[in-house]
Amino acid sequence: MKQLPVHILGIAPYDGMRTAMERAAETYPDIHLDVFTGDLEEGVAIVKDHLSNSYDCIISRGGTARMIRKVTDIPVIEIRLSVYDVLRTIKLAESYADRYAIVGFSSITEPAHILCDLLRWQIDIITIQDTQQIHATLLNLQQSGYRMVIGDMVTHTVAQEMGMNAFLITSGAESL
């Protein structure tokens, strides 16, 4: 008896993650992955457009995964950031002289707190609860002399729109 492939809908917040998800799926012949790029509300809209398809589960990251759970009964698997993902981005940011903070949803800031506690680093970490807080949070940081932030896709986008330098915490292959 031949087993049917597992049909998965992937929602990646940025194109690089989409590519990484596609590569990871190629190593599993019994998985059929349809993956799209869309962050937060855009990701939710993609899911709503594809609900008629018979997916076994949905895979996404952070705030997008949490938002998708609210609009579907299909199981949503959240790709969690690893401490290594955060470390890799902090090391990139350290090569710049700008003062920076880590800003994002708890899926970003929890591993950042763990890492900073373990390594006894003094980095400002700010957890936001919804996207409406991002602009005001970044404006406060800017007025306090911060010129750079590390964060998730929405923080990265808003920071760049405000003229700040921004580093996106990407999910490495081990997280996927």
Side-chain angles (χ1 to χ4, degrees):
M1 181 178 195
K2 186 175 179 179
Q3 186 175 359
L4 294 174
V6 177
H7 200 192
I8 301 172
L9 175 60
I11 306 296
Y14 55 93
D15 286 327
M17 186 173 185
R18 176 184 178 165
T19 302
M21 290 171 79
E22 290 169 339
R23 283 191 192 128
E26 288 172 0
T27 63
Y28 297 94
D30 53 345
I31 288 180
H32 176 80
L33 174 70
D34 295 326
V35 63
F36 300 89
T37 304
D39 193 32
L40 301 172
E41 291 89 3
E42 189 178 338
V44 170
I46 292 167
V47 169
K48 287 179 178 179
D49 288 344
H50 291 84
L51 282 178
S52 61
N53 297 351
S54 56
Y55 290 105
D56 297 302
C57 69
I58 300 169
I59 299 176
S60 193
R61 184 178 103 159
T64 305
R66 283 190 295 281
M67 290 177 75
I68 291 169
R69 279 190 187 104
K70 295 176 182 177
V71 299
T72 183
D73 293 330
I74 299 170
V76 178
I77 300 167
E78 182 177 347
I79 297 170
R80 297 214 176 263
L81 283 178
S82 71
V83 172
Y84 183 70
D85 296 330
V86 177
L87 176 63
R88 185 175 46 244
T89 309
I90 288 173
K91 287 309 209 180
L92 280 171
E94 284 180 346
S95 63
Y96 293 81
D98 290 342
R99 185 175 174 199
Y100 67 91
I102 299 172
V103 179
F105 290 98
S106 61
S107 60
I108 296 281
T109 59
E110 285 175 9
H113 278 294
I114 292 168
L115 180 66
C116 291
D117 288 347
L118 285 171
L119 298 176
R120 297 185 179 160
W121 286 347
Q122 298 296 316
I123 299 174
D124 291 319
I125 302 170
I126 301 167
T127 303
I128 58 166
Q129 303 303 320
D130 63 55
T131 56
Q132 277 63 37
Q133 293 178 288
I134 295 169
H135 191 272
T137 300
L138 295 180
L139 187 59
N140 286 339
L141 286 171
Q142 218 174 22
Q143 291 170 347
S144 298
Y146 290 83
R147 295 181 32 189
M148 185 167 63
V149 293
I150 294 173
D152 52 17
M153 190 65 205
V154 68
T155 299
H156 180 267
T157 302
V158 173
Q160 287 189 321
E161 289 170 357
M162 295 174 65
M164 297 178 79
N165 294 318
F167 283 91
L168 174 64
I169 299 176
T170 59
S171 296
E174 66 284 345
S175 294
L176 292 173

